[in-house]
C-alpha cells in the first residue's frame, strides 16, 4: 500500500512539475524533473506562445533551460515537439468551431474576439440576369450591403432574453463572484448559492434588476453597497426563421439580433416573379408587418427593417403590377406599382427625368388583352394617370435644334452664339458681339440663312451702311442665321524675303511694308566677320505681257555695304520675295592645324603656315625623327568627309566574294580615316619626291617606333608576333605560327608595312609564287578562303548524263 501511495505522490509531483514547465519555462527555477513525454499538446502550445511573446527562439531558450537543470535529452524532445504542428495551432487557425453547451449549439471563435458570437450564414451570390432590370434586385447582389447586426456594440437594453442566451454575472467589491450562465430551455438561469431565476421573455435591463435583487437577498455586502453586481450578455442565441418565395427559400438559423433585411439578404431576395413591396412578416400565424423595400430604396426609411423572433415566417408573394420605364430617366428599369399609385410616383422611383429628357409628354405602350395600344401622357396628367400592369413607358430625347439661336463669327470682338428675338437687325447683333474689329472688311458680310425647307441661302450685307443707319442695308435677321464678318487680313497674300550668305541666321523671313536691308540684317542676327562689302539682291520681274526682248528672269542689284556695321548709310528698301546674298571675303581663312605623333622630337599640333605646306616641312618643324623611329613607318591619317563616306557605302561588292563583302561592311561601319603611306627614305633624299605630299587641315601624321617583331594574323593556327630575322622570307614567319589553318587562303596573303602600304604575293612563270618582302614591324595577314558550294550527288549525276548524251550524239554523227 505504501508503494502505491509513493507512486501516486511521485506522479502528482511530476505532473505538477510538467505543468510548471508549461506555465513558465523562463521563470521556473528547477527543471530537472521535467518529462516532456507527459506534456500535453495544449501545454506545448503554451510554451511556444511564451517564447513568441518574449521574442525568443528555441535555440536561444536552450542554455536557459539547461542552466535550470533540464537534461539535454529532454530539451531535444522538447525542441522536436515545438517544431511539430500541434492541435492547438490548428484550433487557432480555424476561425469557428461548434461547441455544445446545455443542449444548445453555438458558433465559437478563436478566443481572440471580444464581440458577441452568432452563427453566420453567407448568401451564395450569383448574377441574377433575369431580375437584373427589376428595381431593388441590385440590393441583394451587393456583398457589402448585408444588413448584418453589429455584435461589437453594447447589448441593447430592450433585447429580449430567451433560451440559449448566455449571461455573464460578476460580483465585485468586498465579495467576488463571476460566472457565465446559459438560459435553459425552461427560461431560467441557475446561480450558485442563489438559486433559479426566470429570465426568459424579459429585457436584458429587466433581467439585470431581477438578478441583482436575487443576489442581494443572499449577499449582505450587495445590500449594503459594499459589493456591486454587473450582468451582461456574453453570447446570443440563434433563432430559426422560414423564408418562402425567395431565390433561396428554406429554414435559416440566424442571430437573434438579425432583422428582416438581414434575412432577405441571406436568402438572395425575392425570386423572379415575387414582390418587392408586399413582403409579409408572419408571427404566431398572423401577418405582423408588410415590408415595402421601395421605402428604403427611395428615401432610406428603415421602419420596415424590424427585428426577428424565433419561428418567424417571411413570405414573399408574387407581384401584382409591374411596369417598365425606358429612355431618358436617371434610373430606367422595371418597377413594381401598388394600388393607388400614380405616374408621378413612378417618376420618383426612377429618380426623375435626366437632363436630355423630353418632359412635355411620355409615350406609353399598353396591352389591351388582344393587342398593343399606344398612348401619350401629357405633363399635366402625370399626377392623375394610373399605371397599368405591363405598361412600357418611353421617355424620348429633346430635339437637337434651337428655338432662338443666332450665330456671328469672324472679325468681331466676341464671336459666339446669341439669343435671337423678333425684330433683331444686323446692327443689334454686331452690338451684342461688342462691335467690329479694326481689321473688319466693312463692304460686305454674308448671312447663311436656313430656308423653310431646311436648305440654305446666302444674303449679302454692306456692314458700313448698316452700321451708319441705312435701314435697307440694316436687314432684319431670322433665327438660325449665321453671320460671317470677314477680315481684310484674309485677303492679304503672305509675302516672304530670303537672306543668305555671311549672316548669322540665314533663312526665309516675313515681309512687312517698308522693310529695308538694315531691318533684314538685324532680324537675321547681323553680319559675320567674314562678310564682304558686296551684296547682291535679286528681285522678281512682274509684267502683264511677256517681253521677248528681255532675257532676264530677275532684276539684280549689286550694292556695297560697310561690312563692319549692321547699320548702312545707304539703306535699301526691299520688296516681296527679294533674295539677298551677302558675299564672303575673298581672303578669310582661320589658322588650320595638323597633328603629328609618335617618334618625333616635339609631337603635337602644328598650324599650316603655307598654303601648300608638305609633310617634310612639318616633320622638320617637329624636330625630325628620333633615333628609335622606323624610317618606313611614316604615314598620314586623313579624315574622310561625309560625301566620301557615302561613296564608300555605295561599293558594289560581289555577293560571292567574302573578302569584298567584309571590306564593304568595314567601310560602312568603321572607317573614319584614309591611310596615306609615305616613303620617308625617298623624301629625305629628294624633298620633291611624290611622297612628300601637301597636307590638309585635320591630317594626322603618325611616325611609328621601331619594332623588332613581325605580327602574323588572320587564318593561321596561332596569331602571334615573331622576332624579326634578317634574311628570312614570308614562309618562315608563316611556319613559325604553325602555318595556315583549314580556312586560310595562302596565295592571297599580304603584308602591311609600318607606313600603311600593303604588298600581295605574285605568281610567276611555271607556277612559282613570289611573296612580298618582310620588314621589321610589318604585319602578315592571311585572309579566309571564300565559301564555295560543292556539287551534290544529283548534280554530278546530271552532269554525267549530259556528257554521256553528247558522246552518243558524236558517235552517231560519225557513223
Amino acid at each position: 500500500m505504501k508503494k502505491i501511495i509513493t507512486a501516486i505522490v511521485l506522479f502528482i509531483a511530476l505532473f505538477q512539475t510538467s505543468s510548471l514547465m508549461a506555465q513558465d519555462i523562463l521563470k521556473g527555477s528547477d527543471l530537472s524533473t521535467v518529462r516532456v513525454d507527459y506534456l500535453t499538446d495544449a501545454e506545448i502550445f503554451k510554451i511556444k506562445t511564451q517564447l513568441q511573446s518574449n521574442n525568443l527562439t528555441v535555440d536561444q531558450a536552450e542554455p536557459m533551460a539547461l542552466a535550470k537543470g533540464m537534461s539535454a535529452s529532454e530539451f531535444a524532445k522538447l525542441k522536436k515537439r515545438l517544431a511539430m504542428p500541434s492541435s492547438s495551432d490548428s484550433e487557432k487557425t480555424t476561425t469557428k468551431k461548434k461547441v455544445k453547451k446545455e443542449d444548445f449549439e453555438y458558433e465559437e471563435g478563436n478566443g481572440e474576439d471580444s464581440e458577441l458570437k452568432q452563427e453566420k450564414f453567407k448568401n451564395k451570390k450569383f448574377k441574377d440576369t433575369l431580375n437584373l432590370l427589376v428595381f431593388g434586385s441590385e440590393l441583394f447582389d451587393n456583398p457589402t450591403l448585408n444588413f448584418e447586426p453589429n455584435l461589437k456594440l453594447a447589448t441593447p437594453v430592450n433585447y429580449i432574453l430567451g433560451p440559449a442566451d448566455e449571461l455573464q454575472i460578476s460580483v465585485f467589491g468586498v465579495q467576488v463572484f463571476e460566472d457565465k450562465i446559459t438560459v435553459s430551455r425552461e427560461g431560467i438561469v441557475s446561480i450558485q448559492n442563489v438559486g433559479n431565476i426566470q429570465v426568459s421573455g424579459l429585457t436584458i435591463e429587466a433581467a439585470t434588476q431581477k438578478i441583482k435583487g436575487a443576489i442581494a437577498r443572499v449577499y449582505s455586502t450587495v445590500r449594503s453597497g459594499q459589493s456591486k453586481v454587473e450582468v451582461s450578455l456574453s453570447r446570443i442565441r440563434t433563432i430559426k426563421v422560414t423564408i418562402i418565395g425567395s431565390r433561396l427559400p428554406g429554414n435559416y438559423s440566424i442571430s437573434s439580433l438579425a432583422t428582416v433585411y438581414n434575412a432577405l439578404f441571406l436568402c438572395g431576395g425575392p425570386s423572379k416573379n415575387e414582390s418587392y413591396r408586399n413582403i409579409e412578416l408572419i408571427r404566431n400565424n398572423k401577418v405582423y408587418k408588410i415590408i415595402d423595400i421601395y421605402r428604403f430604396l427611395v428615401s432610406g426609411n428603415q421602419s420596415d427593417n424590424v427585428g426577428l423572433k424565433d419561428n418567424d415566417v417571411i413570405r414573399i408573394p408574387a407581384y401584382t403590377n409591374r411596369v417598365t420605364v425606358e429612355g431618358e430617366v436617371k434610373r430606367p428599369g422595371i418597377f413594381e406599382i401598388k394600388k393607388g399609385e400614380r405616374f408621378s410616383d413612378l417618376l420618383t422611383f426612377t429618380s426623375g427625368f435626366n437632363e436630355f429628357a423630353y418632359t412635355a409628354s411620355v409615350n406609353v405602350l399598353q396591352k389591351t388583352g388582344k393587342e398593343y395600344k399606344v398612348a401619350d401622357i401629357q405633363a399635366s396628367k402625370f399626377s392623375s394617370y394610373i399605371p397599368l400592369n405591363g405598361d412600357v413607358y418611353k421617355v424620348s430625347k429633346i430635339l437637337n435644334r434651337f428655338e432662338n439661336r443666332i450665330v456671328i463669327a469672324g472679325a468681331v470682338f466676341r464671336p459666339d452664339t446669341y439669343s435671337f428675338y423678333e425684330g433683331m437687325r444686323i446692327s443689334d447683333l454686331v452690338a451684342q458681339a461688342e462691335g467690329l474689329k479694326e481689321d473688319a472688311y466693312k463692304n460686305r458680310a454674308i448671312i447663311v440663312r436656313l430656308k423653310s425647307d431646311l436648305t440654305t441661302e446666302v444674303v449679302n450685307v454692306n456692314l458700313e451702311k448698316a452700321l451708319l443707319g441705312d435701314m435697307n442695308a440694316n436687314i432684319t435677321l431670322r433665327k438660325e442665321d449665321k453671320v460671317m464678318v470677314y477680315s481684310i487680313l484674309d485677303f492679304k497674300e503672305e509675302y516672304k524675303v530670303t537672306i543668305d550668305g555671311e549672316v548669322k541666321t540665314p533663312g526665309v523671313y516675313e515681309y512687312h511694308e517698308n522693310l529695308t536691308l538694315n531691318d533684314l540684317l538685324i532680324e537675321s542676327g547681323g553680319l559675320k566677320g567674314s562678310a564682304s562689302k558686296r551684296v547682291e539682291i535679286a528681285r522678281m520681274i512682274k509684267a502683264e505681257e511677256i517681253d521677248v526682248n528681255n532675257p532676264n528672269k530677275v532684276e539684280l542689284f549689286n550694292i556695297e555695304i560697310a561690312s563692319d556695321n549692321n547699320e548702312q548709310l545707304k539703306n535699301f528698301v526691299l520688296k516681296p520675295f527679294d533674295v539677298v546674298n551677302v558675299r564672303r571675303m575673298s581672303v578669310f581663312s582661320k589658322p588650320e592645324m595638323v597633328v603629328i605623333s609618335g617618334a618625333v622630337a616635339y609631337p603635337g599640333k602644328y598650324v599650316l603656315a603655307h598654303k601648300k605646306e608638305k609633310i617634310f616641312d612639318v616633320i622638320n618643324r617637329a624636330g625630325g625623327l628620333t633615333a628609335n623611329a622606323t624610317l618606313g613607318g611614316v604615314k598620314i591619317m586623313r579624315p574622310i568627309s561625309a560625301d566620301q563616306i557615302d561613296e564608300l557605302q555605295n561599293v558594289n561588292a560581289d555577293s560571292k566574294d567574302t573578302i569584298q563583302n567584309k571590306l564593304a561592311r568595314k567601310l560602312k561601319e568603321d572607317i573614319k580615316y584614309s591611310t596615306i603611306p609615305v616613303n620617308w627614305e625617298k623624301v629625305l633624299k629628294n624633298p620633291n619626291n611624290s611622297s612628300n605630299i601637301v597636307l590638309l587641315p585635320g591630317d594626322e601624321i603618325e611616325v611609328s617606333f621601331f619594332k623588332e617583331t613581325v605580327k602574323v594574323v588572320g587564318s593561321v593556327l596561332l596569331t602571334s608576333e615573331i622576332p624579326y630575322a634578317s634574311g628570312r622570307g614570308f614562309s618562315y614567319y608563316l611556319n613559325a605560327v604553325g602555318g595556315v589553318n583549314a580556312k586560310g587562303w595562302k596565295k592571297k596573303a599580304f603584308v602591311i608595312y609600318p607606313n600603311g602600304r600593303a604588298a600581295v604575293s605574285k605568281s610567276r612563270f611555271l607556277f612559282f609564287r613570289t611573296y612580298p618582302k618582310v620588314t621589321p614591324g610589318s604585319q602578315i595577314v592571311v585572309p579566309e578562303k571564300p565559301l564555295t558550294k560543292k556539287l551534290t550527288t544529283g548534280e554530278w549525276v546530271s552532269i554525267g548524263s549530259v556528257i554521256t548524251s553528247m558522246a552518243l550524239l558524236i558517235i552517231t554523227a560519225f557513223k
Side-chain angles (χ1 to χ4, degrees):
M1 185 67 182
K2 290 182 178 180
K3 291 182 179 179
I4 295 174
I5 294 173
T6 303
I8 293 173
V9 170
L10 289 174
F11 178 77
I12 293 171
L14 180 61
F15 178 77
Q16 289 177 345
T17 304
S18 300
S19 299
L20 177 64
M21 169 69 178
Q23 291 173 4
D24 200 337
I25 191 173
L26 300 179
K27 296 180 181 178
S29 58
D30 185 10
L31 304 180
S32 60
T33 59
V34 171
R35 295 295 179 265
V36 177
D37 293 336
Y38 295 109
L39 295 178
T40 64
D41 289 341
E43 291 167 340
I44 292 293
F45 177 71
K46 288 181 181 178
I47 296 173
K48 187 183 295 186
T49 305
Q50 182 188 13
L51 292 175
Q52 290 175 352
S53 63
N54 288 278
N55 294 323
L56 288 176
T57 63
V58 178
D59 294 332
Q60 290 172 339
E62 182 175 6
M64 299 171 59
L66 296 178
K68 293 179 181 181
M70 189 175 187
S71 65
S73 60
E74 288 297 324
F75 190 84
K77 294 179 182 178
L78 176 63
K79 185 175 181 181
K80 185 176 180 181
R81 290 195 63 182
L82 288 173
M84 297 171 59
S86 63
S87 59
S88 298
D89 291 332
S90 61
E91 290 173 6
K92 185 177 180 181
T93 57
T94 304
T95 57
K96 297 180 193 261
K97 65 178 182 178
K98 287 275 187 179
V99 296
K100 194 167 186 179
K101 186 174 182 181
E102 295 188 13
D103 297 327
F104 296 108
E105 286 190 351
Y106 299 93
E107 289 288 349
E108 187 173 67
N110 55 16
E112 296 180 358
D113 291 336
S114 60
E115 64 180 68
L116 300 176
K117 307 298 187 298
Q118 73 159 337
E119 186 176 3
K120 295 184 180 180
F121 291 87
K122 286 191 176 180
N123 176 12
K124 296 180 180 179
K125 305 311 294 178
F126 55 89
K127 196 65 178 177
D128 186 5
T129 55
L130 296 175
N131 257 11
L132 187 62
L133 294 177
V134 176
F135 179 58
S137 63
E138 71 278 4
L139 185 67
F140 305 105
D141 287 330
N142 187 353
T144 61
L145 188 67
N146 55 18
F147 302 98
E148 185 178 288
N150 188 351
L151 301 180
K152 292 185 179 180
L153 296 177
T155 306
V157 293
N158 60 348
Y159 177 77
I160 305 298
L161 293 175
D165 282 334
E166 185 180 79
L167 298 179
Q168 181 166 337
I169 302 173
S170 301
V171 178
F172 55 91
V174 175
Q175 290 179 302
V176 178
F177 171 78
E178 185 173 354
D179 195 7
K180 290 182 179 180
I181 305 171
T182 303
V183 180
S184 67
R185 294 185 183 277
E186 291 75 22
I188 63 174
V189 290
S190 180
I191 306 174
Q192 185 181 359
N193 300 325
V194 175
N196 296 335
I197 303 171
Q198 183 73 32
V199 295
S200 181
L202 299 178
T203 64
I204 187 69
E205 186 177 24
T208 300
Q209 296 301 324
K210 189 173 183 179
I211 292 171
K212 284 182 178 180
I215 293 176
R217 287 194 293 271
V218 177
Y219 293 94
S220 60
T221 57
V222 174
R223 291 195 303 273
S224 63
Q226 293 176 305
S227 298
K228 303 293 182 183
V229 178
E230 187 177 271
V231 179
S232 62
L233 190 65
S234 61
R235 191 185 308 276
I236 61 174
R237 68 186 184 277
T238 56
I239 61 175
K240 302 288 185 179
V241 295
T242 302
I243 306 175
I244 55 178
S246 64
R247 298 186 208 176
L248 299 173
N251 295 321
Y252 287 83
S253 297
I254 59 177
S255 165
S256 56
L257 292 176
T259 61
V260 171
Y261 287 177
N262 185 205
L264 288 174
F265 178 82
L266 293 175
C267 70
S271 62
K272 177 183 176 183
N273 294 316
E274 310 316 308
S275 173
Y276 284 77
R277 307 196 61 189
N278 293 302
I279 301 173
E280 299 173 352
L281 174 59
I282 301 173
R283 184 171 294 166
N284 298 325
N285 297 321
K286 294 181 181 180
V287 176
Y288 176 75
K289 192 172 186 62
I290 301 295
I291 291 94
D292 185 353
I293 296 176
Y294 278 25
R295 275 198 283 266
F296 172 70
L297 292 173
V298 174
S299 59
N301 186 346
Q302 291 201 59
S303 59
D304 290 340
N305 192 20
V306 296
L308 296 173
K309 291 188 176 182
D310 199 20
N311 296 320
D312 276 354
V313 176
I314 298 175
R315 175 179 173 270
I316 307 176
Y319 70 85
T320 304
N321 293 319
R322 271 186 186 175
V323 298
T324 303
V325 182
E326 301 174 350
E328 304 306 312
V329 291
K330 295 175 183 175
R331 188 190 291 148
I334 301 172
F335 299 87
E336 188 175 342
I337 298 297
K338 296 177 74 173
K339 185 178 180 180
E341 289 182 332
R342 304 293 191 267
F343 182 75
S344 56
D345 300 316
L346 178 60
L347 283 178
T348 302
F349 300 154
T350 65
S351 297
F353 297 112
N354 65 24
E355 60 273 23
F356 303 107
Y358 174 66
T359 60
S361 68
V362 173
N363 179 271
V364 57
L365 180 67
Q366 298 176 333
K367 302 175 182 66
T368 64
K370 293 183 179 181
E371 55 189 357
Y372 289 101
K373 174 184 174 182
V374 176
D376 293 316
I377 308 172
Q378 301 302 320
S380 59
K381 296 182 178 179
F382 285 174
S383 299
S384 59
Y385 181 82
I386 299 176
L388 301 177
N389 185 34
D391 281 358
V392 178
Y393 299 91
K394 296 182 180 180
V395 181
S396 58
K397 281 188 176 182
I398 57 175
L399 298 176
N400 188 19
R401 58 187 296 174
F402 296 83
E403 65 178 21
N404 65 336
R405 180 177 64 174
I406 194 165
V407 180
I408 185 169
V412 292
F413 283 104
R414 293 190 179 276
D416 209 338
T417 301
Y418 294 93
S419 61
F420 167 78
Y421 56 87
E422 290 296 333
M424 189 178 194
R425 294 180 177 272
I426 188 71
S427 58
D428 300 327
L429 182 58
V430 171
Q432 275 192 281
E434 297 194 2
L436 300 176
K437 287 185 177 180
E438 295 81 359
D439 60 328
Y441 182 68
K442 300 179 181 179
N443 293 333
R444 182 185 297 269
I446 66 168
I447 302 173
V448 179
R449 177 160 291 171
L450 193 66
K451 296 194 295 185
S452 58
D453 60 356
L454 299 183
T455 60
T456 56
E457 64 177 347
V458 172
V459 180
N460 294 309
V461 179
N462 189 318
L463 278 179
E464 188 171 15
K465 291 181 179 180
L467 297 179
L468 290 175
D470 188 338
M471 296 304 293
N472 293 326
N474 193 14
I475 65 174
T476 304
L477 298 175
R478 300 178 186 174
K479 74 172 183 177
E480 293 298 325
D481 277 356
K482 295 180 181 179
V483 180
M484 181 65 195
V485 180
Y486 293 106
S487 168
I488 58 174
L489 301 178
D490 298 334
F491 313 128
K492 189 175 181 181
E493 186 179 358
E494 187 177 0
Y495 294 146
K496 302 286 185 181
V497 291
T498 303
I499 186 168
D500 202 0
E502 300 307 303
V503 291
K504 292 181 181 177
T505 314
V508 179
Y509 294 86
E510 289 188 11
Y511 172 81
H512 306 285
E513 195 172 349
N514 298 322
L515 182 71
T516 65
L517 178 61
N518 286 350
D519 301 327
L520 187 58
L521 289 176
I522 295 299
E523 193 174 0
S524 61
L527 296 168
K528 289 184 179 179
S530 58
S532 71
K533 62 182 181 179
R534 297 185 60 188
V535 175
E536 181 183 84
I537 300 174
R539 179 167 295 167
M540 63 182 294
I541 297 174
K542 295 190 293 183
E544 291 287 343
E545 298 179 355
I546 298 175
D547 187 359
V548 294
N549 297 321
N550 185 5
N552 296 328
K553 294 183 65 175
V554 295
E555 185 179 1
L556 293 178
F557 299 91
N558 290 299
I559 61 176
E560 290 189 2
I561 63 172
S563 59
D564 57 347
N565 191 353
N566 292 320
E567 297 292 336
Q568 305 301 319
L569 294 177
K570 184 180 179 182
N571 201 1
F572 188 87
V573 179
L574 300 175
K575 290 189 176 181
F577 306 111
D578 279 357
V579 178
V580 180
N581 273 292
V582 181
R583 302 301 179 190
R584 185 183 179 87
M585 287 184 179
S586 301
V587 179
F588 188 87
S589 59
K590 299 177 183 178
E592 297 170 320
M593 292 187 291
V594 295
V595 179
I596 184 169
S597 61
V600 293
Y602 304 103
K605 296 181 178 180
Y606 288 84
V607 175
L608 295 176
H610 308 290
K611 294 180 180 179
K612 294 186 177 182
E613 186 144 18
K614 298 188 177 183
I615 186 172
F616 180 76
D617 303 326
V618 174
I619 290 180
N620 285 338
R621 287 167 61 188
L625 273 60
T626 60
N628 57 349
T630 300
L631 293 179
V634 180
K635 59 184 175 182
I636 300 172
M637 304 297 291
R638 178 160 292 172
I640 299 177
S641 61
D643 55 344
Q644 289 174 313
I645 292 176
D646 290 339
E647 291 177 4
L648 290 172
Q649 288 179 344
N650 292 328
V651 172
N652 185 15
D654 186 359
S655 59
K656 296 182 180 180
D657 192 343
T658 306
I659 301 298
Q660 284 190 333
N661 283 338
K662 289 184 178 180
L663 177 61
R665 288 195 297 271
K666 188 72 174 175
L667 291 174
K668 291 179 181 179
E669 298 170 3
D670 300 331
I671 293 180
K672 297 293 188 300
Y673 294 90
S674 59
T675 303
I676 303 175
V678 177
N679 192 330
W680 186 246
E681 294 181 354
K682 291 184 178 180
V683 172
L684 288 176
K685 294 177 182 178
N686 181 15
N688 294 323
N689 188 274
S690 59
S691 289
N692 189 19
I693 64 173
V694 177
L695 296 175
L696 298 179
D699 283 353
E700 296 182 11
I701 304 170
E702 293 184 5
V703 180
S704 301
F705 290 94
F706 181 77
K707 293 179 68 176
E708 295 182 335
T709 59
V710 176
K711 189 173 183 180
V712 184
V713 297
S715 298
V716 293
L717 293 179
L718 177 66
T719 298
S720 181
E721 291 192 19
I722 308 301
Y724 175 75
S726 180
R728 294 290 188 175
F730 189 91
S731 298
Y732 167 77
Y733 296 101
L734 281 181
N735 294 332
V737 296
V740 299
N741 59 23
K743 296 182 179 180
W745 202 4
K746 184 177 179 182
K747 68 178 182 179
K748 293 292 183 179
F750 57 93
V751 177
I752 301 176
Y753 295 104
N755 66 350
R757 185 175 63 86
V760 298
S761 57
K762 299 179 181 179
S763 57
R764 294 295 178 88
F765 181 68
L766 295 178
F767 303 103
F768 290 104
R769 184 171 297 280
T770 303
Y771 292 101
K773 183 181 179 181
V774 181
T775 62
S778 59
Q779 180 175 310
I780 299 174
V781 181
V782 179
E784 185 178 324
K785 290 179 181 179
L787 295 175
T788 57
K789 184 180 178 182
K790 296 182 179 180
L791 294 177
T792 63
T793 305
E795 291 172 337
W796 280 112
V797 170
S798 299
I799 294 172
S801 300
V802 172
I803 295 173
T804 304
S805 300
M806 292 178 65
L808 289 174
L809 289 172
I810 294 171
I811 293 171
T812 303
F814 277 107
K815 287 183 176 181

